[in-house]
Amino acid sequence: MVVIAATFPAASSQSFAEATPPRYSSVKLPQEYKTDFVHYATVQRSDGTTRNIFINPEAVEALKNGSGSLPDHTIIVIEGFYALKNADGEYLLDNNGRYETGDAFEMLHVLEKRYDWTAADFVSENRSGQWNFGSFNTANGNFFDENMSACFHCHNATDRTDFLYSAPLL
């Protein structure tokens, strides 16, 4: 509002609606996920991207102890990378047939499973079981302004595996 007031003369009869700031979920980015979490999968997708997937160690322990499902307060962090391409636009592969990793996505995705979420903790009415989603800027860890509804809609297709595509890899 200060910028608008400084930009337009006070005598202007034009009125401006206050901008609504983006609304973010209550999911937080674990700052030390690369060292404190377990890297359990690297997934190569047909769209020319790879994803490194990390999970908190408490969730791994619960699975090892035979819980059969991921517990409350499970946190998953997903890093995304674009594959490198050659001059013909084909994806470059390493000696194992995996994409050569290029630039990182602008954002990290975080999923958190909790049974005590409230409606105010979500950015929309969309839900995927007890999971909530957050998006964070790769460079600085701040919230990344992204439509999180797409995350919920996509993961709803995996309700048989606790709304996770990578569940079989755990």
Side-chain angles (χ1 to χ4, degrees), residues 16-29:
F16 297 92
E18 262 190 61
T20 304
R23 187 167 165 255
Y24 301 105
S25 77
S26 293
V27 172
K28 306 289 185 236
L29 174 64

Side-chain angles (χ1 to χ4, degrees), residues 78 107-111 123-124 126-128 131-135 146-158 163 165:
I78 304 170
M107 81 294 285
L108 297 165
H109 289 139
V110 179
L111 297 78
V123 295
S124 73
N126 296 310
R127 302 289 184 276
S128 294
W131 293 96
N132 198 352
F133 298 86
S135 189
E146 179 179 22
N147 181 353
M148 300 310 296
S149 292
C151 299
F152 289 100
H153 288 299
C154 185
H155 281 267
N156 279 338
T158 60
F163 300 95
Y165 285 95

